[in-house]
Amino acid sequence: MSRPAFGGGELPAVFPDWSPYQDLDSAARAYLRDPEVALEALGGVLRGATVLGFTLERFVNEVNGVWQEVVVCDGSRLILWHGEDVAPGDGPPGSMTSSLRVVPLSTVTEVGCRRRLTRTPSGQARVDSIDVYLLLSSLDESGATPAPPGEDHQAVRHDALRFGKTLDDGGAGQIARLEEFARLVASMVGRPTL
């Protein structure tokens, strides 16, 4: 089974599994459509820093084509790379954006991890999805809502990073790797950074 790719061609509906790869380079090359773009951008920030953990995401957006993300933790920062195909008409065919964001771990104020468990016929619990959020001290500008009538202040939301995997989207290996990434970040929140 495949889905049409932005700019023609076909992309597999199920992407290769990156979870068996313990190093970022191998995982990115196995999973991302544009690993060279991602690794070059990340390498420019990492500059030899040790990658303690990472998570990857990729999906096909029916409007823009392929959306890809890599999140790396080096002990003091979260480095996020995002690549996305440009919508038809917004650039020449085959155009994409590549963006980078660096978030100091000191700005992560909360880590949340929700696992959904199901029971197998034998009664054993099995994780079939995971949702992870990292709440940041920065404010989400888009989350501001106007003040209700009669009140002087508007409601604001803190910025958050969100990640998810399911058995259908990633499989058990990627669920486990995302949970491992969440535990790594959680173990560092509130501690002095490296």
Side-chain angles (χ1 to χ4, degrees):
M1 180 176 168
S2 62
R3 296 180 185 171
F6 174 71
E10 297 286 318
L11 288 173
V14 178
F15 301 115
D17 186 10
W18 62 267
S19 66
Y21 301 96
Q22 296 301 311
D23 66 289
L24 176 61
D25 187 83
S26 298
R29 292 185 189 286
Y31 187 69
L32 299 177
R33 185 195 65 192
D34 302 292
E36 293 83 13
V37 175
L39 293 169
E40 180 183 358
L42 292 165
V45 175
L46 285 166
R47 297 195 180 266
T50 302
V51 173
L52 300 179
F54 60 90
T55 187
L56 306 175
E57 183 59 76
R58 173 178 163 179
F59 64 84
V60 175
N61 177 323
E62 294 181 15
V63 175
N64 291 359
V66 175
W67 185 94
Q68 308 165 85
E69 183 177 56
V70 180
V71 184
V72 173
C73 178
D74 71 356
S76 63
R77 307 170 292 181
L78 295 173
I79 305 158
L80 298 92
W81 174 82
H82 168 246
E84 183 174 10
D85 289 337
V86 174
D90 286 350
S95 297
M96 68 177 282
T97 61
S98 172
S99 60
L100 202 60
R101 179 178 182 189
V102 178
V103 177
L105 276 176
S106 61
T107 65
V108 177
T109 60
E110 185 176 318
V111 177
C113 181
R114 176 177 289 171
R115 300 183 310 157
R116 187 175 68 192
L117 305 171
T118 57
R119 298 258 179 221
T120 64
S122 67
Q124 183 179 9
R126 176 181 78 167
V127 179
D128 71 0
S129 72
I130 185 169
D131 291 304
V132 172
Y133 73 88
L134 309 178
L135 188 64
L136 305 178
S137 58
S138 56
L139 298 179
D140 179 359
E141 298 294 326
S142 66
T145 56
E151 292 190 26
D152 292 336
H153 65 282
Q154 62 184 45
V156 293
R157 285 190 333 201
H158 281 271
D159 198 3
L161 305 173
R162 299 184 183 281
F163 314 98
K165 292 288 183 181
T166 67
L167 288 177
D168 292 334
D169 174 25
Q174 291 181 35
I175 289 172
R177 290 294 298 276
L178 179 54
E179 185 170 11
E180 177 184 304
F181 181 78
R183 287 179 178 170
L184 170 69
V185 174
S187 73
M188 297 179 177
V189 170
R191 293 182 176 202
T193 56
L194 299 176

